[in-house]
Amino acid sequence: MKLKILAPLALLLTLVASRAADRPNIVFIFSDDHAWQAISAYGSNRNETPHIDRLADEGMRFDRCLVPNSICGPSRATVLTGTYNHINGFIDNSGCRFDGSQTTFPKLLQGAGYQTAIIGKWHLGSEPTGFDHWQVLPGQGQYYNPKMILNGENMREMGYVTDIITERSLDWLKKRDPERPFLLMCQHKAPHRNWSPNVTKLNHDGGKPYPEPPTLFDDYSGRGSGEKNQDMSLAKTMHEGDLKLKTTSAIPKSVRDEWNAYYGPRNEAFLKANLKGKDLIRWKYQRYMHDYLACISSVDDGIGEILDYLKESGLEENTIVVYASDQGFYLGEHGWFDKRWIFEESLRTPFLVRWPSVIKPASVSKEIVSNLDFAPTLLEAAGVSVPERVQGHSLMPLFKGQTPDEWRKSFYYHYYEFPGVHSVPRHYGVATDRYKLVHLYKPDDYWELFDLEKDPHEMKNVFDDPEYASARRTLEKELARLRDELKVPEKDPKGTRK
Ligand code: CA
């Protein structure tokens, strides 16, 4: 009698166990401010990223992954929840605190039996929730000898932050329970401002000059007051510390000799040359690229180490590896660094996925996808149901090379941080494959329309051009439809403050 009851139960348990064994592992590698223009798989003319390129060669490269709000904290809140910032409460970086009691995809995976860990940058104010193991940088974190918080305890690691985050990620992978699937979020601080390279990378480019973007000397004519009055230009905003013209206490004594041996003579030559105007901007651009791309080289090395480990340990086939940044970044385009704008350099983020058992090698998707889609995709891949609240869509059909007819053709964007650092106006808008319609509403109230087909660098506002009257009407309707569908409040939300 007992056996009769137990047999179906045993069968069920076996089925559950076999299904659990089939569930994919997830390695989510994330960086901070990595421009897609600085990845060779995306056609960079400035650097090589051989290990990120492996993900493109062996998996899928997404060419139009858009973020709903191009700034650190809000983007991370979107990744975790699959929602816009007016829903998850983290609208800007000026004092918001992530409400860790809300549903996130790591929490749901943890509940479904996944081992979960996050190592590296968190930057959401509150403590991480939904992770069995967490070791994060407090706030922005430091490049050298960083303070960290290990499962709630303050501690310090010695060395270069990118290498530490890679090593601790590998340590966790090696000691995990091999019987259960896992989610590892490996989140780099690099290449965030002020772009401090590892001293081992100071000669990474052999002193070769970098090509300048065509809009390095943009004068912002043809656009409104916001573009003219921003505070994120190489000309005005980039300071001595950014440019390594002075050595700060953030560079520890242990590496200071090597640091000064590289920068010292170059800085002397720069001061002697007494550059002005465009020549000064050109010099700043070269120094910026040297430092920023050196930071990326360390990130790329770390990705190589993780990919090698997955291969050696037989995990490659059934592990989803994601690489993305929290947003894009300006590498001198429009004369800028930083992010925040709806324009292509900051709206788009790199996004590559390798999953050998599902995705064909060297696939490319041109569809509009978003970091809103990460949570529902990874949940569906793990066989976990997606909560109603999620506003993104699972990318599983796209992984299989099938785009559903109803896939999004337009995308809603909303940036809230004004007044704030870099003085970028509050704005919202809609992006399609060809157009962008933008309402800038604080401090000044005006509209812009860009035709990316004729004006790929977004230099000319055609909002009042009668030739675009019909396109404008269509976009205005689409913008209203999206705001309604996404439940965007009429007035700016306050956000979840500290
Ligand atoms: Ca960022």
Side-chain angles (χ1 to χ4, degrees), residues 242-305:
D242 295 331
L243 294 163
K244 323 297 180 299
L245 288 167
K246 62 176 183 189
T247 309
T248 67
S249 57
I251 306 305
K253 284 201 179 96
S254 55
V255 297
R256 204 166 296 174
D257 286 351
E258 284 170 88
W259 185 271
N260 289 336
Y262 180 82
Y263 289 110
R266 288 166 177 81
N267 289 350
E268 251 175 60
F270 162 73
L271 292 171
K272 212 170 147 191
N274 196 25
L275 303 173
K276 303 269 189 250
K278 285 188 174 178
D279 289 340
L280 178 58
I281 293 172
R282 291 203 155 100
W283 183 88
K284 287 182 177 182
Y285 169 74
Q286 295 297 332
R287 173 59 59 90
Y288 168 37
M289 283 303 92
H290 168 273
D291 296 346
Y292 179 90
L293 297 173
C295 292
I296 285 173
S297 183
S298 292
V299 170
D300 192 62
D301 286 352
I303 293 170
E305 285 185 46

Side-chain angles (χ1 to χ4, degrees), residues 147-417:
K147 288 179 185 164
M148 295 191 86
I149 311 170
L150 172 60
N151 298 323
E153 299 292 324
N154 291 321
M155 49 97 73
R156 187 187 285 276
E157 294 273 12
M158 301 306 282
Y160 186 68
V161 69
T162 305
D163 297 349
I164 292 164
I165 292 167
T166 298
E167 289 312 312
R168 294 295 165 264
S169 297
L170 288 167
D171 291 345
W172 184 81
L173 281 174
K174 288 170 190 169
K175 70 175 188 201
R176 77 192 195 284
D177 173 3
E179 302 302 318
R180 292 161 58 210
F182 65 84
L183 162 72
L184 167 65
M185 299 182 84
C186 166
Q187 305 204 150
H188 289 293
K189 167 187 172 56
H192 194 278
R193 191 185 186 192
N194 64 352
W195 322 295
S196 294
N198 192 341
V199 286
T200 60
K201 293 286 184 186
L202 289 174
N203 280 307
H204 74 104
D205 58 9
K208 270 194 285 186
Y210 293 99
E212 291 169 2
T215 59
L216 181 61
F217 299 108
D218 190 355
D219 63 3
Y220 316 114
S221 58
R223 280 143 296 157
S225 59
E227 287 89 339
K228 292 182 181 76
N229 297 335
Q230 46 59 40
D231 186 16
M232 53 185 274
S233 67
L234 275 71
K236 178 180 150 198
T237 318
M238 203 172 260
H239 60 56
E240 281 190 325
D242 295 331
L243 294 163
K244 323 297 180 299
L245 288 167
K246 62 176 183 189
T247 309
T248 67
S249 57
I251 306 305
K253 284 201 179 96
S254 55
V255 297
R256 204 166 296 174
D257 286 351
E258 284 170 88
W259 185 271
N260 289 336
Y262 180 82
Y263 289 110
R266 288 166 177 81
N267 289 350
E268 251 175 60
F270 162 73
L271 292 171
K272 212 170 147 191
N274 196 25
L275 303 173
K276 303 269 189 250
K278 285 188 174 178
D279 289 340
L280 178 58
I281 293 172
R282 291 203 155 100
W283 183 88
K284 287 182 177 182
Y285 169 74
Q286 295 297 332
R287 173 59 59 90
Y288 168 37
M289 283 303 92
H290 168 273
D291 296 346
Y292 179 90
L293 297 173
C295 292
I296 285 173
S297 183
S298 292
V299 170
D300 192 62
D301 286 352
I303 293 170
E305 285 185 46
I306 289 177
L307 295 182
D308 287 347
Y309 171 78
L310 295 175
K311 194 180 179 85
E312 287 155 16
S313 53
L315 290 166
E316 198 171 63
E317 195 63 18
N318 199 31
T319 297
I320 303 172
V321 180
V322 173
Y323 181 69
S325 169
D326 58 350
Q327 15 59 212
F329 213 67
Y330 294 89
L331 304 182
E333 296 89 356
H334 302 292
W336 293 339
F337 65 93
D338 212 71
K339 52 256 181 180
R340 300 164 200 274
W341 293 95
I342 192 173
F343 304 131
E344 286 297 282
E345 290 83 359
S346 44
L347 175 68
R348 270 178 64 186
T349 195
F351 177 45
L352 304 110
V353 188
R354 187 185 74 177
W355 187 7
S357 54
V358 174
I359 297 173
K360 269 196 209 153
S363 317
V364 175
S365 170
K366 306 269 183 207
E367 298 298 332
I368 297 177
V369 303
S370 169
N371 56 358
L372 287 155
D373 303 333
F374 296 176
T377 303
L378 298 174
L379 288 170
E380 191 187 334
V384 178
S385 59
V386 177
E388 190 93 347
R389 177 183 190 237
V390 167
Q391 294 175 304
H393 307 290
S394 170
L395 300 168
M396 285 295 279
L398 276 66
F399 285 175
K400 294 171 186 165
Q402 301 148 357
T403 305
D405 291 341
E406 68 278 13
W407 193 257
R408 66 164 82 80
K409 299 277 183 279
S410 65
F411 185 76
Y412 181 72
Y413 181 85
H414 205 144
Y415 174 78
Y416 298 92
E417 197 174 298

Side-chain angles (χ1 to χ4, degrees), residues 474-493:
T474 308
L475 288 159
E476 282 167 345
K477 268 191 212 154
E478 183 58 8
L479 181 59
R481 188 193 70 78
L482 285 170
R483 282 175 62 90
D484 184 53
E485 179 188 291
L486 299 166
K487 303 182 179 72
V488 182
E490 197 63 34
K491 277 188 162 182
D492 279 7

Side-chain angles (χ1 to χ4, degrees), residues 59-80:
M60 187 173 253
R61 187 189 80 210
F62 287 87
D63 281 359
R64 210 133 190 273
C65 181
L66 311 184
V67 297
N69 186 356
S70 180
I71 186 171
C72 188
S75 177
R76 286 153 202 270
T78 289
V79 167
L80 290 171

